[in-house]
Coordinates of all heavy atoms in Angstrom, one line a residue:
M263 N 135.9 138.5 93.7 CA 134.5 139.0 93.7 C 134.4 140.0 92.5 O 133.3 140.1 92.0 CB 134.2 139.7 95.0 CG 133.9 138.8 96.1 SD 132.7 137.5 95.8 CE 131.2 138.3 96.1
A264 N 135.4 140.8 92.2 CA 135.3 141.8 91.2 C 135.0 141.2 89.8 O 134.1 141.7 89.1 CB 136.6 142.6 91.1
P265 N 135.6 140.1 89.4 CA 135.2 139.5 88.1 C 133.8 139.1 88.0 O 133.1 139.2 87.0 CB 136.2 138.3 87.9 CG 137.3 138.7 88.8 CD 136.8 139.4 90.0
L266 N 133.3 138.5 89.1 CA 131.8 138.1 89.1 C 130.9 139.3 89.1 O 129.9 139.3 88.4 CB 131.5 137.3 90.4 CG 132.2 135.9 90.5 CD1 131.9 135.3 91.8 CD2 131.9 135.1 89.3
A267 N 131.3 140.4 89.7 CA 130.5 141.6 89.7 C 130.5 142.2 88.3 O 129.5 142.7 87.8 CB 131.0 142.7 90.7
V268 N 131.7 142.2 87.6 CA 131.8 142.7 86.2 C 130.9 141.8 85.3 O 130.2 142.3 84.5 CB 133.2 142.7 85.7 CG1 133.3 142.9 84.2 CG2 134.0 143.7 86.5
A269 N 131.0 140.5 85.4 CA 130.1 139.6 84.6 C 128.7 139.9 84.8 O 127.9 140.0 83.9 CB 130.5 138.1 84.9
A270 N 128.3 140.0 86.1 CA 126.9 140.3 86.4 C 126.4 141.7 85.8 O 125.3 141.8 85.3 CB 126.6 140.2 87.9
G271 N 127.3 142.6 86.0 CA 127.0 144.0 85.4 C 126.8 144.0 83.9 O 125.9 144.6 83.4
V272 N 127.7 143.3 83.2 CA 127.6 143.2 81.8 C 126.3 142.4 81.4 O 125.6 142.8 80.5 CB 128.8 142.5 81.1 CG1 128.6 142.2 79.7 CG2 130.0 143.4 81.3
W273 N 126.0 141.3 82.1 CA 124.8 140.6 81.8 C 123.5 141.3 82.0 O 122.6 141.2 81.3 CB 124.8 139.3 82.6 CG 123.6 138.4 82.3 CD1 122.5 138.2 83.0 CD2 123.4 137.7 81.1 NE1 121.7 137.4 82.4 CE2 122.2 137.0 81.2 CE3 124.2 137.5 79.9 CZ2 121.6 136.2 80.2 CZ3 123.6 136.7 78.9 CH2 122.4 136.1 79.1
L274 N 123.5 142.2 83.0 CA 122.3 142.9 83.4 C 122.1 144.2 82.5 O 121.0 144.8 82.5 CB 122.3 143.3 84.8 CG 122.3 142.2 85.8 CD1 122.4 142.6 87.2 CD2 121.0 141.4 85.6
L275 N 123.1 144.6 81.7 CA 122.9 145.7 80.8 C 121.9 145.3 79.7 O 121.7 144.1 79.4 CB 124.2 146.0 80.1 CG 125.3 146.7 81.0 CD1 126.6 146.8 80.2 CD2 124.8 148.1 81.5
P276 N 121.2 146.2 79.1 CA 120.3 145.9 78.0 C 121.0 145.2 76.9 O 122.1 145.6 76.5 CB 119.8 147.3 77.6 CG 120.1 148.2 78.7 CD 121.2 147.7 79.4
H277 N 120.4 144.1 76.4 CA 121.1 143.3 75.3 C 121.0 143.9 74.0 O 121.7 143.5 73.1 CB 120.5 141.9 75.3 CG 120.8 141.1 76.6 ND1 120.0 140.1 77.0 CD2 121.8 141.2 77.5 CE1 120.5 139.6 78.1 NE2 121.6 140.3 78.4
A278 N 120.1 144.8 73.7 CA 119.9 145.5 72.5 C 119.8 144.6 71.3 O 120.3 144.7 70.2 CB 121.1 146.4 72.2
G279 N 119.0 143.5 71.5 CA 118.7 142.6 70.4 C 119.7 141.5 70.1 O 119.6 140.7 69.2
F280 N 120.8 141.5 70.9 CA 121.8 140.4 70.7 C 121.3 139.1 71.3 O 120.6 139.1 72.3 CB 123.1 140.8 71.4 CG 123.9 141.9 70.7 CD1 123.8 143.2 71.2 CD2 124.6 141.7 69.6 CE1 124.5 144.2 70.6 CE2 125.2 142.7 68.9 CZ 125.2 144.0 69.4
P281 N 121.7 138.0 70.7 CA 121.3 136.7 71.3 C 121.9 136.5 72.7 O 123.0 137.0 72.9 CB 121.8 135.7 70.3 CG 122.4 136.4 69.2 CD 122.4 137.8 69.5
P282 N 121.3 135.7 73.5 CA 121.8 135.5 74.9 C 123.2 134.8 74.9 O 124.0 135.1 75.7 CB 120.8 134.6 75.5 CG 119.5 134.8 74.8 CD 119.9 135.2 73.4
R283 N 123.4 134.0 73.9 CA 124.7 133.3 73.8 C 125.9 134.3 73.6 O 126.9 134.3 74.2 CB 124.7 132.3 72.7 CG 126.0 131.6 72.5 CD 125.9 130.5 71.4 NE 127.2 129.9 71.2 CZ 127.8 129.9 70.0 NH1 127.2 130.3 69.0 NH2 129.0 129.4 69.9
S284 N 125.6 135.3 72.7 CA 126.6 136.3 72.4 C 126.8 137.2 73.6 O 128.0 137.6 73.9 CB 126.2 137.2 71.2 OG 126.1 136.4 70.1
W285 N 125.8 137.5 74.3 CA 125.9 138.4 75.4 C 126.6 137.7 76.6 O 127.3 138.3 77.3 CB 124.5 138.9 75.9 CG 124.6 140.2 76.6 CD1 124.4 140.4 77.9 CD2 124.8 141.5 76.0 NE1 124.5 141.7 78.3 CE2 124.8 142.4 77.1 CE3 125.1 141.9 74.8 CZ2 125.0 143.7 76.9 CZ3 125.3 143.3 74.6 CH2 125.3 144.2 75.7
G286 N 126.3 136.4 76.7 CA 127.0 135.6 77.7 C 128.5 135.5 77.4 O 129.3 135.5 78.4
L287 N 128.9 135.4 76.2 CA 130.3 135.4 75.8 C 131.0 136.7 76.2 O 132.1 136.7 76.6 CB 130.5 135.0 74.4 CG 130.4 133.6 74.0 CD1 130.4 133.4 72.5 CD2 131.5 132.7 74.6
L288 N 130.2 137.8 75.9 CA 130.8 139.1 76.3 C 131.0 139.2 77.8 O 132.0 139.7 78.3 CB 129.9 140.2 75.8 CG 130.3 141.6 76.2 CD1 131.6 142.0 75.5 CD2 129.2 142.6 75.8
A289 N 130.0 138.8 78.6 CA 130.1 138.8 80.0 C 131.2 138.0 80.5 O 132.0 138.4 81.4 CB 128.8 138.4 80.7
L290 N 131.4 136.8 79.9 CA 132.5 135.9 80.3 C 133.9 136.5 80.0 O 134.8 136.5 80.7 CB 132.4 134.5 79.7 CG 133.4 133.5 80.1 CD1 133.4 133.2 81.5 CD2 133.2 132.2 79.2
F291 N 133.9 137.1 78.8 CA 135.2 137.8 78.4 C 135.5 138.9 79.3 O 136.7 139.1 79.7 CB 135.0 138.3 76.9 CG 136.2 139.0 76.4 CD1 137.4 138.4 76.1 CD2 136.2 140.4 76.3 CE1 138.5 139.1 75.7 CE2 137.3 141.1 75.8 CZ 138.5 140.4 75.5
A292 N 134.5 139.8 79.7 CA 134.8 140.9 80.6 C 135.2 140.4 81.9 O 136.1 141.0 82.5 CB 133.5 141.7 80.7
A293 N 134.6 139.3 82.4 CA 135.0 138.8 83.7 C 136.4 138.2 83.6 O 137.2 138.4 84.6 CB 134.0 137.7 84.1
T294 N 136.8 137.6 82.5 CA 138.1 137.0 82.4 C 139.2 138.1 82.3 O 140.2 138.0 83.0 CB 138.2 136.2 81.1 OG1 137.2 135.1 81.1 CG2 139.6 135.5 80.9
V295 N 138.9 139.2 81.6 CA 139.9 140.3 81.5 C 140.0 140.9 82.9 O 141.1 141.3 83.4 CB 139.4 141.3 80.5 CG1 140.2 142.6 80.6 CG2 139.5 140.7 79.1
C296 N 138.9 141.1 83.6 CA 138.9 141.7 85.0 C 139.7 140.8 85.9 O 140.5 141.3 86.7 CB 137.5 141.9 85.5 SG 137.5 142.5 87.2
A297 N 139.6 139.5 85.8 CA 140.3 138.6 86.7 C 141.8 138.6 86.3 O 142.7 138.5 87.2 CB 139.8 137.1 86.5
L298 N 142.1 138.7 85.0 CA 143.5 138.8 84.7 C 144.2 140.1 85.2 O 145.4 140.1 85.5 CB 143.7 138.7 83.1 CG 143.4 137.3 82.5 CD1 143.4 137.4 81.0 CD2 144.4 136.3 83.0
M299 N 143.4 141.2 85.3 CA 143.9 142.4 85.8 C 144.0 142.5 87.3 O 145.0 143.1 87.9 CB 143.1 143.6 85.3 CG 143.2 143.8 83.8 SD 142.3 145.2 83.0 CE 141.3 145.8 84.2
T300 N 143.1 141.9 88.0 CA 143.0 142.0 89.5 C 143.8 140.8 90.1 O 144.0 140.9 91.4 CB 141.6 142.0 90.0 OG1 140.9 140.8 89.5 CG2 140.9 143.3 89.5
H301 N 144.1 139.7 89.4 CA 144.8 138.6 89.9 C 144.2 137.9 91.2 O 144.9 137.7 92.2 CB 146.3 139.0 90.2 CG 147.1 139.4 89.1 ND1 147.5 138.5 88.1 CD2 147.5 140.6 88.7 CE1 148.1 139.1 87.2 NE2 148.2 140.4 87.5
P302 N 143.0 137.6 91.2 CA 142.4 136.8 92.3 C 143.0 135.4 92.4 O 143.2 134.9 93.5 CB 140.9 136.8 92.1 CG 140.8 136.9 90.6 CD 141.9 137.8 90.2
I303 N 143.4 134.9 91.3 CA 144.1 133.6 91.2 C 145.1 133.7 90.0 O 145.0 134.6 89.2 CB 143.1 132.4 90.9 CG1 142.2 132.6 89.7 CG2 142.2 132.2 92.2 CD1 141.3 131.4 89.4
P304 N 146.0 132.8 89.9 CA 147.0 132.9 88.8 C 146.3 132.9 87.4 O 145.2 132.3 87.2 CB 147.9 131.6 89.0 CG 147.7 131.3 90.4 CD 146.3 131.7 90.8
S305 N 147.0 133.4 86.5 CA 146.5 133.6 85.1 C 146.1 132.3 84.4 O 145.1 132.3 83.7 CB 147.5 134.4 84.3 OG 147.8 135.6 84.8
G306 N 146.9 131.3 84.6 CA 146.6 130.0 84.0 C 145.3 129.4 84.5 O 144.5 128.9 83.7
A307 N 145.1 129.6 85.8 CA 143.8 129.1 86.4 C 142.6 129.9 85.9 O 141.6 129.4 85.7 CB 143.9 129.2 87.9
V308 N 142.8 131.2 85.7 CA 141.8 132.1 85.1 C 141.4 131.6 83.7 O 140.2 131.5 83.4 CB 142.2 133.6 85.1 CG1 141.2 134.4 84.3 CG2 142.4 134.1 86.5
A309 N 142.4 131.3 82.9 CA 142.1 130.8 81.6 C 141.4 129.5 81.6 O 140.4 129.3 80.8 CB 143.4 130.7 80.8
L310 N 141.8 128.6 82.4 CA 141.1 127.3 82.5 C 139.7 127.4 83.0 O 138.8 126.7 82.5 CB 141.9 126.3 83.4 CG 143.2 125.8 82.8 CD1 144.0 124.9 83.8 CD2 142.9 125.0 81.5
L311 N 139.5 128.3 84.0 CA 138.2 128.5 84.5 C 137.3 129.1 83.4 O 136.1 128.8 83.3 CB 138.2 129.4 85.7 CG 138.6 128.7 87.0 CD1 138.7 129.7 88.2 CD2 137.6 127.6 87.4
A312 N 137.8 130.0 82.6 CA 137.0 130.7 81.6 C 136.6 129.6 80.5 O 135.5 129.6 80.0 CB 137.8 131.8 80.9
I313 N 137.6 128.8 80.2 CA 137.2 127.7 79.2 C 136.2 126.8 79.7 O 135.2 126.4 79.1 CB 138.5 126.9 78.8 CG1 139.4 127.8 78.0 CG2 138.2 125.7 78.0 CD1 140.8 127.3 77.8
T314 N 136.4 126.4 81.0 CA 135.4 125.5 81.6 C 134.0 126.1 81.8 O 133.0 125.5 81.5 CB 135.9 125.1 83.0 OG1 137.2 124.5 82.9 CG2 135.0 124.1 83.7
A315 N 134.0 127.4 82.2 CA 132.7 128.1 82.3 C 132.0 128.2 81.0 O 130.8 128.1 80.9 CB 132.9 129.5 82.9
S316 N 132.8 128.5 79.9 CA 132.2 128.7 78.6 C 131.5 127.4 78.1 O 130.4 127.4 77.5 CB 133.2 129.1 77.6 OG 134.1 128.1 77.3
T317 N 132.1 126.2 78.5 CA 131.4 125.0 78.1 C 130.3 124.6 79.0 O 129.3 124.1 78.5 CB 132.5 123.8 78.0 OG1 133.1 123.7 79.2 CG2 133.5 124.1 76.9
L318 N 130.5 124.8 80.3 CA 129.4 124.4 81.3 C 128.2 125.3 81.1 O 127.1 124.8 81.3 CB 129.9 124.5 82.7 CG 131.0 123.4 83.1 CD1 131.4 123.6 84.5 CD2 130.4 122.0 82.9
L319 N 128.4 126.5 80.7 CA 127.2 127.4 80.5 C 126.6 127.2 79.2 O 125.6 127.9 78.9 CB 127.7 128.9 80.7 CG 128.1 129.3 82.1 CD1 128.7 130.7 82.1 CD2 126.9 129.2 83.1
G320 N 127.2 126.4 78.3 CA 126.6 126.1 77.0 C 126.8 127.2 76.0 O 126.1 127.3 75.0
L321 N 127.9 128.0 76.2 CA 128.1 129.1 75.3 C 128.9 128.6 74.1 O 128.6 129.2 73.0 CB 128.9 130.2 76.0 CG 128.3 130.9 77.2 CD1 129.2 131.8 77.9 CD2 127.0 131.6 76.8
V322 N 129.8 127.7 74.3 CA 130.5 127.1 73.1 C 130.6 125.6 73.4 O 130.6 125.1 74.5 CB 131.9 127.7 73.0 CG1 131.8 129.1 72.6 CG2 132.7 127.5 74.2
P323 N 130.6 124.8 72.3 CA 130.9 123.4 72.5 C 132.3 123.1 72.9 O 133.2 123.9 72.7 CB 130.6 122.8 71.1 CG 130.3 123.9 70.2 CD 130.4 125.2 70.9
I324 N 132.5 122.0 73.5 CA 133.8 121.6 74.1 C 134.9 121.6 73.0 O 136.0 122.0 73.2 CB 133.8 120.3 74.9 CG1 135.1 120.0 75.6 CG2 133.5 119.1 74.0 CD1 135.2 120.8 76.9
Q325 N 134.5 121.1 71.8 CA 135.5 121.0 70.7 C 136.0 122.4 70.3 O 137.1 122.6 70.0 CB 134.9 120.3 69.4 CG 134.5 118.9 69.6 CD 133.2 118.7 70.3 OE1 132.4 119.6 70.6 NE2 132.9 117.4 70.7
T326 N 135.1 123.4 70.3 CA 135.4 124.8 69.9 C 136.3 125.4 71.0 O 137.3 126.1 70.7 CB 134.2 125.6 69.7 OG1 133.4 125.0 68.7 CG2 134.5 127.0 69.3
A327 N 135.9 125.1 72.3 CA 136.7 125.7 73.4 C 138.1 125.2 73.4 O 139.0 125.9 73.8 CB 136.0 125.4 74.7
L328 N 138.3 123.9 73.1 CA 139.7 123.3 73.2 C 140.4 123.4 71.8 O 141.5 122.9 71.8 CB 139.6 121.9 73.7 CG 139.0 121.7 75.1 CD1 138.9 120.3 75.4 CD2 139.9 122.4 76.1
S329 N 139.8 123.9 70.8 CA 140.4 123.9 69.5 C 141.7 124.7 69.4 O 142.6 124.3 68.6 CB 139.5 124.4 68.4 OG 139.2 125.7 68.6
G330 N 141.9 125.7 70.2 CA 143.1 126.5 70.2 C 144.3 125.7 70.7 O 145.4 126.0 70.3
F331 N 144.1 124.7 71.5 CA 145.2 123.9 72.0 C 145.7 122.9 71.0 O 146.8 122.3 71.2 CB 144.8 123.2 73.3 CG 144.5 124.1 74.5 CD1 143.2 124.4 74.8 CD2 145.5 124.8 75.1 CE1 143.0 125.3 75.9 CE2 145.3 125.7 76.1 CZ 144.0 125.9 76.5
A332 N 145.0 122.7 69.9 CA 145.5 121.8 68.8 C 146.4 122.5 67.9 O 147.1 121.9 67.1 CB 144.3 121.3 68.1
N333 N 146.5 123.8 68.0 CA 147.4 124.6 67.1 C 148.9 124.5 67.6 O 149.2 124.9 68.8 CB 146.9 126.1 67.2 CG 147.6 126.9 66.1 OD1 148.7 126.6 65.6 ND2 147.0 128.1 65.8
P334 N 149.8 124.2 66.8 CA 151.2 124.0 67.2 C 151.8 125.4 67.6 O 152.7 125.4 68.4 CB 151.9 123.5 66.0 CG 150.9 123.2 64.9 CD 149.6 123.7 65.4
T335 N 151.3 126.5 67.1 CA 151.8 127.8 67.4 C 151.6 128.1 68.9 O 152.4 128.7 69.6 CB 151.2 128.9 66.6 OG1 151.4 128.5 65.2 CG2 151.8 130.2 66.8
V336 N 150.4 127.7 69.4 CA 150.1 127.8 70.9 C 151.2 127.1 71.7 O 151.7 127.7 72.7 CB 148.7 127.4 71.2 CG1 148.5 127.4 72.7 CG2 147.7 128.2 70.5
W337 N 151.5 125.9 71.3 CA 152.5 125.1 72.1 C 153.9 125.7 72.0 O 154.7 125.6 72.9 CB 152.4 123.7 71.7 CG 151.2 123.1 72.2 CD1 150.1 122.7 71.4 CD2 150.8 122.8 73.5 NE1 149.1 122.2 72.2 CE2 149.5 122.3 73.5 CE3 151.4 123.0 74.7 CZ2 148.8 121.9 74.6 CZ3 150.7 122.7 75.9 CH2 149.4 122.1 75.8
L338 N 154.2 126.3 70.8 CA 155.5 127.0 70.7 C 155.6 128.2 71.6 O 156.6 128.4 72.3 CB 155.6 127.5 69.2 CG 156.9 128.2 68.9 CD1 158.1 127.3 69.0 CD2 156.9 128.8 67.5
I339 N 154.5 128.9 71.8 CA 154.5 130.1 72.7 C 154.6 129.6 74.1 O 155.4 130.2 75.0 CB 153.3 130.9 72.5 CG1 153.3 131.6 71.1 CG2 153.1 132.0 73.6 CD1 152.0 132.2 70.7
V340 N 153.9 128.5 74.5 CA 154.0 128.0 75.8 C 155.4 127.5 76.1 O 156.0 127.8 77.2 CB 153.0 126.8 76.0 CG1 153.2 126.0 77.3 CG2 151.6 127.3 76.0
A341 N 156.0 126.8 75.2 CA 157.4 126.4 75.3 C 158.4 127.5 75.5 O 159.3 127.5 76.3 CB 157.8 125.5 74.2
A342 N 158.1 128.6 74.8 CA 159.0 129.8 74.9 C 158.9 130.4 76.3 O 159.9 130.8 76.9 CB 158.6 130.8 73.8
F343 N 157.7 130.4 76.8 CA 157.5 131.0 78.2 C 158.1 130.1 79.2 O 158.7 130.5 80.2 CB 156.0 131.2 78.5 CG 155.4 132.4 78.0 CD1 154.4 132.4 77.1 CD2 155.9 133.7 78.5 CE1 153.8 133.6 76.6 CE2 155.4 134.8 78.0 CZ 154.4 134.8 77.1
L344 N 158.1 128.8 79.0 CA 158.7 127.8 80.0 C 160.2 128.0 80.0 O 160.9 127.8 81.0 CB 158.3 126.4 79.6 CG 156.9 126.0 79.9 CD1 156.6 124.6 79.4 CD2 156.5 126.2 81.4
F345 N 160.8 128.2 78.8 CA 162.3 128.4 78.8 C 162.7 129.8 79.3 O 163.6 130.0 79.9 CB 162.8 128.2 77.4 CG 162.8 126.8 76.9 CD1 162.2 126.4 75.8 CD2 163.4 125.8 77.7 CE1 162.1 125.1 75.3 CE2 163.4 124.5 77.3 CZ 162.8 124.2 76.1

């Protein structure tokens, strides 16, 4: 519940002329950080939900959301954590 409250709180703040897409990304980022700190679900699930939410809400295209997984450095870090 806390991450949703944080996202709603950020979204309801005055936008000060920022486009709704940018403000939505800020709200999603704040909710993701809050979820990573409060651990309502495991961290991997939080990351996948954030990626899914960003595409379903139309904040970023699916190609942009998944572009980080095409980087070999990301997979090197994942492999290091697995070992």
Side-chain angles (χ1 to χ4, degrees):
M263 283 311 272
L266 294 177
V268 168
V272 169
W273 180 255
L274 294 175
L275 289 173
H277 294 154
F280 289 102
R283 179 175 175 237
S284 299
W285 206 254
L287 282 170
L288 177 64
L290 183 62
F291 177 74
T294 303
V295 170
C296 179
L298 289 172
M299 290 182 352
T300 59
H301 296 289
I303 56 176
S305 300
V308 169
L310 287 176
L311 282 175
I313 292 169
T314 304
S316 69
T317 57
L318 290 178
L319 293 172
L321 299 174
V322 294
I324 189 80
Q325 293 83 8
T326 304
L328 296 176
S329 66
F331 293 104
N333 189 341
T335 306
V336 171
W337 291 108
L338 179 66
I339 293 169
V340 169
F343 277 119
L344 290 176
F345 287 124

